[in-house]
Amino acid sequence: MQAFFAQIETNIQKMKNKNIVGRLVYYFEEFMKEVQRYGINICRVWFKEVIDPNKASENYDNKKWQYDFEMLKNILNSAVQNKELKENTPIELLTHLIISQLYGMMTVWCMSNNEFNPKIWTKKIAQTQLKSILNEYLI
């Protein structure tokens, strides 16, 4: 799975024709496609393992949250460097808000017993929420 997410990061770095919201929407869509590819039961097992990292089994990679957090943070930092976001953009805060939206979609998918269809909702939620979260800091 890490190779897949590394490829997403590479693709985002190459995107010159998409603004920060577009790049984050792409990230959300690809993230949820990969989660769905593994299936709702794997997602539930993952949540069960990572909800309390101190109780995760030894062979379980409980660093996925940190990996995702750092990737989103890098995307935002890149947008500041590219002058898409203001220099005073609170990167840590926005990263927490964005990852909460992303992980919230996974949680709803798991809790809804697959009634919440990420293929349908991911882009709608991402565009709406990301625009709201970033609006104050867009240049």
Side-chain angles (χ1 to χ4, degrees):
M1 193 180 259
Q2 285 183 348
F4 178 81
F5 284 99
Q7 185 59 51
I8 291 174
E9 186 172 22
T10 299
N11 291 347
I12 288 172
Q13 290 170 356
K14 292 178 183 177
M15 290 179 177
K16 304 296 181 203
N17 62 339
K18 289 193 182 215
N19 63 21
I20 181 61
V21 173
R23 290 192 310 275
L24 287 168
V25 168
Y26 169 81
Y27 180 79
F28 270 51
E29 289 177 318
E30 294 302 308
F31 183 98
M32 291 306 293
K33 278 184 206 173
E34 186 68 358
V35 168
Q36 274 190 288
R37 187 173 75 80
Y38 278 89
I40 197 166
N41 290 326
I42 296 294
C43 189
R44 287 174 175 155
V45 168
W46 181 78
F47 269 122
K48 186 177 176 184
E49 287 284 335
V50 298
I51 202 75
D52 186 353
N54 296 323
K55 293 183 180 178
S57 59
E58 286 182 30
N59 62 349
Y60 203 80
D61 180 10
N62 60 0
K63 306 229 183 303
K64 178 72 171 105
W65 183 90
Q66 187 63 39
Y67 179 86
D68 294 336
F69 186 87
E70 290 302 319
M71 186 180 293
L72 288 167
K73 192 166 126 180
N74 290 340
I75 293 168
L76 293 175
N77 277 323
S78 172
V80 170
Q81 291 169 356
N82 294 335
K83 306 216 181 307
E84 294 178 83
L85 294 175
K86 297 175 183 175
E87 283 188 38
N88 67 340
T89 300
I91 300 296
E92 290 280 326
L93 171 65
L94 296 182
T95 304
H96 280 286
L97 292 173
I98 292 168
I99 203 166
S100 296
Q101 294 299 311
L102 186 61
Y103 276 49
M105 285 190 300
M106 280 195 311
T107 305
V108 170
W109 178 51
C110 289
M111 291 173 65
S112 74
N113 203 27
N114 210 20
E115 288 180 31
F116 171 85
N117 185 331
K119 286 180 185 172
I120 295 171
W121 287 100
T122 298
K123 189 171 192 166
K124 292 177 187 181
I125 290 170
Q127 286 178 330
T128 304
Q129 293 299 325
L130 293 172
K131 284 179 184 176
S132 279
I133 290 169
L134 297 175
N135 189 46
E136 181 179 342
Y137 305 101
L138 293 171
I139 294 179

